[in-house]
Structure formats: structure tokens, C-alpha cells
């Protein structure tokens, strides 16, 4: 495995911490800037596998990518975020038929979740080095539970778990990460990743099933930006 290089982390991880702080402080007024910043969260996950007829099936889809903590911290973080979700669940059961109260609950839940992300996941450099596993990234296979979805990625990773993640932020920042996926259905990684997702995007209890988790194990990182330092320069 390879560690994500500092150049990538400064652009992707630490910038997310700064964005969360600015949102909590009410400093994000420009909607266009907010959505541009979100490109750090939404790369394209590329997969490929051989079909029965011998042809290669390829697929790429935009996903939400996040970080995981080191294994020794999983239990602690799961507990923290379970408490956060449980608090909202108790409120949800009381207001789920009241649209205005439900909107208020979602807003309060998201804001409390952002504070927890800042305290436990998106950390200052020294603490981040100790807590966060910078050899891994993660995403949830949300399409697996949707009846009309093509489920291309889910089908492909059953046959081949080699994958590539491509980030692009206009006008010219791009990174390519190569690695392998592992699938998690009912373990601590699955609990951690789905809890982190739900810590901001509240998901009612009845809609939490059928969400496999992918852990992306980093093997190579390239700077694909069209700059003298980029054009496919290998960083890790």
C-alpha cells in the first residue's frame, strides 16, 4: 500500500477541514464557491472487468469519497457517531409527519454532525497523522439498493477489485489514484463509514439497509494537472 502524499492531502483532506470550519462559522456565502469546493468530495470511481464473452466491461461513476480512521480508533469513533444518530432517531420518531419540524431536525442534525466531523475525522495535522489512515479512502455503494439502478460498479467489483479514482477541480487540478477495493457488508468498517455518511445526511432507520461499503486501498498516486508539476507525475 501507499500513503496519500502531502500535496494531495493539503488539497483534499485539510481543505475539507477548512471548509467545515467556514460553514460552521457562517463564512460561506458564495454558493458557486461551495459547489466548487465540493469537487474534492466527488471524484469518478473507475472499474473494469472481463465479461463472459471475453470483452472488457468498463464503468465510471461519480461517488462521494471519505476518510477512515486507523483500526484501533474505529470502536471509539463508532460509539461517538452512534450517539449522534440515536439522538436524531429519537426526535425523528416524534416529528416524521411534520414537514416543518422535520426540516428543522435535519438542519440541527447536519450542523451537529459537522461539529463532530471536525472534532473526530478532519483534524489538525499532528492529530490527523496519529488518527487517520491515510492509506485508505472509502465510499458507499448507494445504488445497490435501488431497483432501477444498472449496478454497473457493483457487478464489476464482484469480478475485479482493481480500481482507479480520478479527481478534477476546475480549472486545472486533477489527481489519479490507483488501488484495490475491498467490500464490507457487516463489520466495523461498514458501521463506521455508514455512520459518518449519516452524521451529516440524516437517513431514517428504515432506509439504512442494503448499503455495501468499499474501502479503497491506495497503491499509486499521480498528479494529472496540466502544469509543469503534473501531466501524470507520480507522487506515491
Amino acid at each position: 500500500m501507499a500513503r496519500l502524499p502531502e500535496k494531495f492531502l493539503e488539497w483534499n483532506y485539510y481543505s475539507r477541514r477548512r471548509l467545515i470550519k467556514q460553514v460552521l462559522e457562517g463564512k460561506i456565502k458564495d454558493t458557486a464557491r461551495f459547489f466548487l469546493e465540493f469537487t474534492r468530495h466527488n471524484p469518478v470511481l473507475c472499474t473494469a472487468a472481463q465479461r463472459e464473452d471475453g470483452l472488457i466491461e468498463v464503468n465510471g461513476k461519480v461517488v462521494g469519497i471519505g476518510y477512515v480512521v486507523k483500526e484501533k480508533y474505529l470502536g471509539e469513533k463508532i460509539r461517538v457517531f452512534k450517539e449522534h444518530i440515536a439522538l436524531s432517531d429519537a426526535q425523528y420518531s416524534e416529528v416524521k409527519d411534520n414537514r416543518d419540524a422535520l426540516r428543522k431536525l435535519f438542519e440541527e442534525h447536519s450542523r451537529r454532525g459537522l461539529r463532530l466531523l471536525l472534532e473526530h475525522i478532519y483534524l489538525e495535522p499532528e492529530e490527523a497523522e496519529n488518527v487517520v489512515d491515510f492509506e485508505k479512502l472509502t465510499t458507499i455503494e448507494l445504488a445497490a439498493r435501488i431497483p432501477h439502478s444498472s449496478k454497473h460498479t457493483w457487478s464489476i467489483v464482484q469480478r475485479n477489485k482493481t480500481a482507479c479514482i480520478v479527481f478534477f477541480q476546475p480549472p486545472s487540478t486533477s489527481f489519479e489514484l490507483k488501488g484495490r477495493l475491498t467490500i464490507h457488508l457487516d463489520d466495523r468498517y461498514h458501521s463506521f463509514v455508514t455512520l459518518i455518511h449519516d452524521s451529516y445526511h440524516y437517513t431514517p432507520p428504515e432506509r439504512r439497509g442494503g448499503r455495501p461499503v468499499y474501502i479503497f486501498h491506495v497503491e499509486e498516486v499521480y498528479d494529472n494537472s496540466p502544469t509543469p508539476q503534473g501531466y501524470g507525475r507520480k507522487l506515491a
Side-chain angles (χ1 to χ4, degrees), residues 81-96 102 104-110 112-113 198-200 202-205 208:
F81 285 93
K82 270 188 175 179
E83 291 174 356
H84 165 53
I85 302 297
L87 178 58
S88 294
D89 283 348
Q91 296 172 320
Y92 174 77
S93 64
E94 298 176 358
V95 304
K96 61 182 179 180
L102 200 57
K104 182 179 179 182
L105 167 62
F106 291 163
E107 291 174 355
E108 291 175 350
H109 175 87
S110 295
R112 188 171 69 245
D198 295 347
S199 70
Y200 181 77
Y202 180 76
T203 304
R208 292 178 193 160

Side-chain angles (χ1 to χ4, degrees), residues 11-12 15-16 19-20 23 31-43 62-65 114 167-170 200-201:
W11 173 77
N12 191 270
S15 62
R16 294 194 197 191
L19 179 64
I20 292 172
V23 170
T31 303
R33 184 202 159 196
F34 180 78
F35 285 118
L36 181 64
E37 291 292 321
F38 230 74
T39 58
R40 306 176 200 268
H41 176 68
N42 293 121
V62 177
V63 297
I65 284 286
L114 283 178
F167 291 85
F168 173 64
Q169 184 179 60
Y200 181 77
H201 306 283

Side-chain angles (χ1 to χ4, degrees), residues 44-164:
V44 175
L45 174 63
C46 306
T47 52
Q50 189 172 36
R51 302 189 323 199
E52 290 183 359
D53 60 9
L55 295 178
I56 302 299
E57 178 183 4
V58 297
N59 189 65
K61 73 169 181 176
V62 177
V63 297
I65 284 286
Y67 290 83
V68 298
V69 296
K70 296 176 181 177
E71 287 192 57
K72 64 181 179 180
Y73 294 107
L74 283 172
E76 169 195 337
K77 305 306 180 185
I78 287 171
R79 177 186 57 77
V80 168
F81 285 93
K82 270 188 175 179
E83 291 174 356
H84 165 53
I85 302 297
L87 178 58
S88 294
D89 283 348
Q91 296 172 320
Y92 174 77
S93 64
E94 298 176 358
V95 304
K96 61 182 179 180
D97 297 321
N98 183 323
R99 181 176 299 179
D100 291 338
L102 200 57
R103 184 183 304 111
K104 182 179 179 182
L105 167 62
F106 291 163
E107 291 174 355
E108 291 175 350
H109 175 87
S110 295
R111 190 164 186 84
R112 188 171 69 245
L114 283 178
R115 288 197 295 268
L116 289 174
L117 289 173
L118 199 61
E119 293 172 13
H120 295 275
I121 308 299
Y122 293 98
L123 310 168
E124 294 284 6
E126 184 175 349
E127 187 177 7
E129 288 294 332
N130 179 51
V131 173
V132 182
D133 188 343
F134 286 132
E135 294 184 356
K136 298 180 178 70
L137 291 169
T138 186
T139 188
I140 302 176
E141 181 53 270
L142 296 173
R145 63 181 178 176
I146 299 175
H148 65 262
S149 168
S150 63
K151 301 177 181 59
H152 286 150
T153 299
W154 182 240
S155 172
I156 287 173
V157 299
Q158 308 308 308
R159 291 166 281 152
N160 179 29
K161 294 177 176 55
T162 301
C164 175

